[in-house]
Amino acid sequence: MNGVLPVNLITSIIRPHKLDAVRQALEDVDVNGMTVTEVRGFGRQKGHTEMYRGAEYVVDFLPKIKLEVVVTDDRLQAVLDAVQLAAHTGKVGDGKIFVVPIGQVVRIRTAELDGDAL
Amino acid sequence: MNGVLPVNLITSIIRPHKLDAVRQALEDVDVNGMTVTEVRGFGRQKGHTEMYRGAEYVVDFLPKIKLEVVVTDDRLQAVLDAVQLAAHTGKVGDGKIFVVPIGQVVRIRTAELDGDAL
Amino acid sequence: MNGVLPVNLITSIIRPHKLDAVRQALEDVDVNGMTVTEVRGFGRQKGHTEMYRGAEYVVDFLPKIKLEVVVTDDRLQAVLDAVQLAAHTGKVGDGKIFVVPIGQVVRIRTAELDGDAL
Amino acid sequence: MAPALHAAPLAAINKGDVAWMLTSTLLVLMMSIPGVALFYGGLVRAKNVLSVMMQVLTVLALVLLLWTAYGYSLTFSGGGAFIGNFDKAFLDGISASSQASGLPEYLYFSFQATFAGISCALIVGALAERMKFGAVLAFTVLWFTFAYVPVAHMVWAPSGWLHTLGALDFAGGTVVHVNAGMAGLVGAALLGPRMDMGRTAMRPHNLPLAMVGAALLWVGWFGFNAGSALSANATAALAFVDTLLATAAGVLAWLGAEAVFRKRPSMLGGISGVIAGLVGITPACGNVGPLGAIAIGALASLACLWGVNGLKRLLRVDDALDAFGIHAVGGIAGALLTGIFSVSALGGNGGNGFGMLHQFGIQALAVVITLAWSALVALLAGLLVKWVYGLRVSDEHEREGLDTTVHGERAYDD
Amino acid sequence: MAPALHAAPLAAINKGDVAWMLTSTLLVLMMSIPGVALFYGGLVRAKNVLSVMMQVLTVLALVLLLWTAYGYSLTFSGGGAFIGNFDKAFLDGISASSQASGLPEYLYFSFQATFAGISCALIVGALAERMKFGAVLAFTVLWFTFAYVPVAHMVWAPSGWLHTLGALDFAGGTVVHVNAGMAGLVGAALLGPRMDMGRTAMRPHNLPLAMVGAALLWVGWFGFNAGSALSANATAALAFVDTLLATAAGVLAWLGAEAVFRKRPSMLGGISGVIAGLVGITPACGNVGPLGAIAIGALASLACLWGVNGLKRLLRVDDALDAFGIHAVGGIAGALLTGIFSVSALGGNGGNGFGMLHQFGIQALAVVITLAWSALVALLAGLLVKWVYGLRVSDEHEREGLDTTVHGERAYDD
Amino acid sequence: MAPALHAAPLAAINKGDVAWMLTSTLLVLMMSIPGVALFYGGLVRAKNVLSVMMQVLTVLALVLLLWTAYGYSLTFSGGGAFIGNFDKAFLDGISASSQASGLPEYLYFSFQATFAGISCALIVGALAERMKFGAVLAFTVLWFTFAYVPVAHMVWAPSGWLHTLGALDFAGGTVVHVNAGMAGLVGAALLGPRMDMGRTAMRPHNLPLAMVGAALLWVGWFGFNAGSALSANATAALAFVDTLLATAAGVLAWLGAEAVFRKRPSMLGGISGVIAGLVGITPACGNVGPLGAIAIGALASLACLWGVNGLKRLLRVDDALDAFGIHAVGGIAGALLTGIFSVSALGGNGGNGFGMLHQFGIQALAVVITLAWSALVALLAGLLVKWVYGLRVSDEHEREGLDTTVHGERAYDD
Ligand SMILES: Nc1ncnc2c1ncn2[C@@H]1O[C@H](COP(=O)(O)OP(=O)(O)O)[C@@H](O)[C@H]1O
Ligand SMILES: Nc1ncnc2c1ncn2[C@@H]1O[C@H](COP(=O)(O)OP(=O)(O)O)[C@@H](O)[C@H]1O
Ligand SMILES: Nc1ncnc2c1ncn2[C@@H]1O[C@H](COP(=O)(O)OP(=O)(O)O)[C@@H](O)[C@H]1O
């Protein structure tokens, strides 16, 4: 039972084509639950240009994937390392990871709380 | 005025077809504002198989709904209970609820702050 | 180096057609990174009615944009003001801004941390 | 549709007729796929689009083969009042040089085959989003055999009962639309409503797709209507102009009513008007003049507008895509109005001996017979399938959608 | 298009001609729906797709009925130089046995009706994404009555002024494309630009949809062009091959230019080349040879490429979907080039007496007259509608999109 | 397809034939665009849909012009066994009054042009999602010139080697489908597999689009098959009914096999069955009877089901959209089965002297020659293009998708 450990929400913004690799890396550190959202990112990385009937312009947002994983404190660093490694290409636009401490977790199916809910 | 009470962001990952029920339950506890995102969930629940020209495989992500509600501390438990009950089916894949304390809230229309902004 | 300053996640729910204005306002206060998600909002603002073969009903969710920006403490207020001003129309449905303190930030490309990662 | 005449098999065939009938046949095929498949596919929710398209395609393929096996023969061979015989089962005795109704018989056979196909495909709309795939097929096969074939024989075969009574149904308003619409209604009633009915909005997931379907139905319907002249002649031209104008009137009538009563004319309304106008003019298009066609198109459209609103609320059956509300109601309106506008004073070609009241009575009779026959067959067929195999998918499958659960695939992906 | 001859109403009609013209008529209908509806629908933003499809469908339906009421008669009945008479209003005096141009008159009427329909539907592209639905209808009705009908009469009626001058416009480059494109430009200028113009990208929301629209336009255009021979004869075959090859050349010219100047040939470019090639060959397709057709297709395509780029920047009008930039510019190019490539030395069938310079002058005159007439009518019609009813939806409606605000529905749902 | 006869240029042309062949030609065009474009476009991932549509459109346009320049002449002019001559290059000597095979030669030319176009367009499916745009064009041009043209000449020209041997290929099963499928396989092997092959699922991004494509292919295929009679006659009617029924059988066979082996019959399976049935009946449709057609459709469908499963796993080539697995396999099955079901005992029109074994041998020979010739040309062409220009886009472009990186636009937007 790790219901007493503090819990964290790890939000990673990554390149879409890295999703599979990151998921694999997370499974390797025994994290099997996660939630994924399609987002658009603005940042240093610049998009391609598109043309439509004479109008040419730079697409300034880029498709990214937001990956949210909730884990207890003891596994936080392992997850951070796993994501950072797996999502890395070294080129501008690789993305960020944010960690936010969580007050409470509930598993809807069982009403279990916190660490037990994961 | 409840501008002084601490504020929380309640994030629930639920089954898509439960959205209506959860919304109804929230209205019943007088929560009328919420923000909904279509997400994909990975977890214990396994997806269906799909076949395309001989290639058969398991779809490992599942469509889920992320529901974000911001409420003041005094109503936190009521909201948690409402969501947990309404989103419950008892089968694997019902989802999770996360609570994160919020530092500040602004209503854009009026520039009201915190509890008043909700 | 501002790697020591506390970091915040500012989440704004805004009207979709205000995205360009808000982006511009953020650039003006030197914030160049952000992540955008298409969401649906429920709140005081009511949607239009739609009709399909005799069935007429009110669309109760409305398309909104969720804008997430991570900034260090020193620029928090400037960003809040910028978003509030640029996203403002004065009519019901302008949206909200939530601020959540962040524990840790990592830039995937460089493994830089916190304020340096932005 | 002119009855199949086999009298003069050695007469020279006109190649202009053949050219037009080859074209007409493929146009009627196009009405089913992609026409109806698109129309229905666009109107359901995204999780069920493949399932309705599959049902349309598979029902069509099945009926084409059954038409070969016994449908054609039972409809067009032999001189019974209610049903034909098996002489031409499996196209027995027919060769490339055989003729029927002044055409190569293979062509006449193909043209009629596409009519049988679309009739059965139309029913799918009423049953959408909740029925087992196997049950759709079984139900359709039974209905085809015991309702479509005899009604088509009664109306179109020279010896058919309603034909000899003088019922007018140029291109199949009764045989196809009233017939299929009624079967849909009964099937939907047996199935019960979709699980979220009344609680969540069941919006069309892709109205542009449905619009394209309706547009291709309009285009293809010229094969259906003007093709029913079985010749590239003046009657085909009359049926053509009637089909063109009745549909235009159907669109405007529906949109006009919406503009008046709801302030906002809708795309779904516009394409419903397309179908309503087309269904309405189908029985009449070889008999009424262009102005009569405009009147029929508009009136049938208003009748269908009521069919999918007031009448639907009365019937309390979840006829999901309004197979009854549009095809049966429009078909009935068209059949009755054919009796009226065929009179020469109103621009029809009814001729001197034409009695409006008398004809109206015959038309009404044909409609009632068809409704009753089709309903009875659908009821028995539905009950049988329910008993032997079951009609509905599980709640869980219905909730997740039939595409992934029944067919193992999703319509859309990134 | 050969003029309507009513001389020999009792001559035998060839069924091969009827077969081809029935087919051609439905092909031209298919150009409007789903052709233009898809093409335009795919090019607008997702919030306005239903609105343009609705406009195309409703304008078409309306014009078909107006064509019946007075359009056909004013165009093809009577011997005036500028306009016909009302003798055939509401199809008066026409029956299934009437003939026109060697066809059943109902068929000839229907064929011409679809031309009127598509001409008006094309205008919608220029006005897209901001105009009131009622204003679109009113504007179109006025333009149809006072511009389309007289110009069609002048060019196609045997007694029409431009016809007697000898202007060549086989299938309607001037009557349809130059005419409609000009009306679109004037309408768009009166309306003003879309609110986000220049600030946000107005990308096509669904290019595959637009591609399908363009493809169906190409297919349907054989009805338009080869159908304008009004017979299944050698001229139809000539128009057919010209339409096939000019379009291929139009595609390659546009893509080639994009490849050279922008490095990336685009789908929007490819389908623009399709339309440009088709528009360009329209007036010429019964007169020039296949190699001339290739030249015309390529040149018209390059002209249109300039039309939607350089010229568009010059004009500073938000012709949203380039009705002018493609249809008018391509139509002008085609009309002028017809004067050149009809000469027999270049493979045309101009004959011995054919004077290239002389013909070029006549072609230019027909273009100028059409441009001026259409612009004037569109200006007056637009101002009238603006004054009486207003042209634009509110900013809020425009921002939210016309689909939900004007038609009460959304195109796509889950 | 009947060979091109130029014997009686002054004979009267039947307008019914012309009407049907005009229609058939545009139907075959419709098979390429939008047919194949939609079918292929729906099956790729959303990031590459425009690229395949562009490839189909551009290849088609290019081949239409090359057909004009030399293709038609090398195929149908001159009496060589392996290749024709340049006498009709650039349509030299042909005018509107020229005749070929009882048709205006321009029409005959156009009909054949659309066959060349679709053959080359089919290859695109094997190469999808990873090939440079310029490389696709270059590869196709070389293959068209050195494989399509000679094989078409050998099979269809009266003097062609396989034609004189007596190979039966009514509408082009060998010339079009075996030929193109083989080229696709070789091209795909040279290209190598798509980068994510085997790791991520490459799901169709829009199956309804693919379904519409398949439906329009079915409709258009009547032009291909029944049009290959080159006349609106009894043979056309035979080819028509065969095409109708073989396809229905193809659908049911595929779905039946899926229902038995996988429990879930799929939309992709259904439309694969459509294409398989159509490909299978193509060489046979003028020779076998309707029951033979049903057998061929079902057998070809099962062969293709194996082609895209078992055989595909054996071959280990990423033939992305199964150009080989369906077109070549179905074409081979059809060619061989034609030899069997043409026998009169099985309802074919083989006549008395027809020897089943003998014919089977000839059919097999024609298939082997075509496979070998096409493979050789594709290999040399692919290597040449690879060496001179390169075949594949960069990994980064492939990952991001060809639409934005090669064509500078995205298919879908809000
Ligand atoms: N300050 C920020 N707040 C929120 N999201 C950000 C911020 N900066 C970057 N992002 C997200 O991270 C993605 C990558 O950032 P970018 O600056 O392009 O490259 P890198 O992460 O390599 O420095 C962006 O597309 C955006 O989605
Ligand atoms: N550790 C986690 N972090 C973030 N989201 C999670 C996590 N675990 C589960 N989820 C989300 O909750 C959903 C349901 O979880 P699952 O394990 O399938 O069932 P249950 O919640 O019944 O245990 C998942 O699809 C995923 O979206
Ligand atoms: N309590 C809440 N929790 C989360 N999101 C909310 C909440 N209240 C409102 N929102 C979001 O803000 C949007 C605007 O809110 P609304 O009440 O309509 O207007 P206003 O912000 O002007 O008061 C909503 O559509 C919803 O997305």
Side-chain angles (χ1 to χ4, degrees), chain E residues 36-343:
Chain E
V36 170
L38 274 170
F39 186 68
Y40 283 173
L43 293 183
V44 296
R45 288 166 293 172
K47 61 184 177 180
N48 294 319
V49 49
L50 296 180
S51 78
V52 293
M53 290 184 147
M54 273 295 276
Q55 290 167 15
V56 169
L57 176 64
T58 316
V59 162
L60 173 71
L62 207 54
V63 168
L64 288 175
L65 295 195
L66 296 181
W67 184 252
T68 311
Y70 56 80
Y72 176 66
S73 186
L74 283 177
T75 308
F76 288 112
S77 172
F82 295 95
I83 193 79
N85 62 27
F86 284 103
D87 286 3
K88 294 188 176 179
F90 290 99
L91 290 168
D92 199 39
I94 303 176
S95 75
S97 58
S98 306
Q99 293 187 22
S101 296
L103 298 171
E105 188 159 2
Y106 280 149
L107 177 53
Y108 182 73
F109 164 89
S110 299
F111 184 64
Q112 299 293 352
T114 57
F115 275 64
I118 195 168
S119 302
C120 296
L122 286 174
I123 301 175
V124 163
L127 317 173
E129 302 203 292
R130 62 218 196 266
M131 194 163 176
K132 285 184 181 180
F133 185 56
V136 170
L137 301 186
F139 179 73
T140 319
V141 166
L142 290 169
W143 181 83
F144 164 74
T145 308
F146 297 107
Y148 181 80
V149 165
V151 172
H153 178 83
M154 284 191 276
V155 175
W156 285 332
S159 65
W161 177 46
L162 295 168
H163 188 88
T164 53
L165 278 183
L168 295 176
D169 187 8
F170 188 73
T174 311
V175 177
V176 173
H177 298 283
V178 175
N179 210 357
M182 190 69 217
L185 185 70
V186 172
L190 288 174
L191 265 175
R194 286 165 291 172
M195 63 188 310
D196 297 326
M197 199 61 206
R199 288 191 298 125
T200 40
M202 310 232 171
R203 270 185 295 226
H205 89 285
N206 195 324
L207 275 169
L209 225 57
M211 194 275 170
V212 178
L216 291 180
L217 279 164
W218 191 355
V219 172
W221 219 293
F222 291 103
F224 199 94
N225 282 1
S228 288
L230 299 177
S231 171
N233 59 16
T235 304
L238 174 64
F240 197 104
V241 74
D242 281 358
T243 304
L244 189 68
L245 299 180
T247 313
V251 169
L252 294 180
W254 197 300
L255 293 181
E258 281 192 339
V260 169
F261 294 118
R262 306 228 167 102
K263 294 277 168 55
R264 291 184 295 184
S266 71
M267 182 88 257
L268 182 58
I271 61 179
S272 301
V274 166
I275 311 295
L278 287 165
V279 171
I281 198 60
T282 293
C285 61
N287 301 98
V288 307
L291 300 185
I294 292 174
I296 291 179
L299 292 171
S301 183
L302 295 177
C304 293
L305 180 56
W306 169 76
V308 304
N309 286 292
L311 178 63
K312 193 170 186 176
R313 277 191 288 274
L314 277 179
L315 291 173
R316 304 175 136 269
V317 171
D318 183 16
D319 174 8
L321 308 179
D322 295 306
F324 185 84
I326 292 200
H327 292 277
V329 171
I332 294 169
L336 300 179
L337 293 169
T338 302
I340 293 172
F341 286 96
S342 290
V343 86

Side-chain angles (χ1 to χ4, degrees), chain B residues 2-3 104-118, chain C residues 44 95-98:
Chain B
N2 44 16
Q104 207 175 333
V105 184
V106 185
R107 166 177 275 137
I108 292 173
R109 171 161 49 94
T110 55
E112 286 165 291
L113 293 186
D114 300 336
D116 298 323
L118 296 175
Chain C
R44 284 175 189 74
K96 322 273 181 201
I97 313 176
F98 310 129

Side-chain angles (χ1 to χ4, degrees), chain B residues 40-106:
Chain B
R40 297 183 284 162
F42 297 77
R44 285 177 188 74
Q45 184 192 5
K46 288 301 161 216
H48 55 273
T49 50
E50 296 181 0
M51 307 177 302
Y52 298 97
R53 288 264 171 85
E56 185 161 352
Y57 59 94
V58 176
V59 176
D60 40 15
F61 63 84
L62 292 150
K64 298 277 171 194
I65 287 285
K66 176 157 98 180
L67 192 101
E68 288 167 305
V69 187
V70 178
V71 292
T72 44
D73 252 22
D74 52 339
R75 304 165 72 194
L76 176 60
Q77 196 55 46
V79 169
L80 288 179
D81 293 347
V83 173
Q84 203 266 329
L85 264 173
H88 185 264
T89 71
K91 287 193 224 129
V92 172
D94 275 357
K96 322 272 181 202
I97 313 177
F98 311 129
V99 184
V100 175
I102 276 194
Q104 207 175 333
V105 184
V106 185

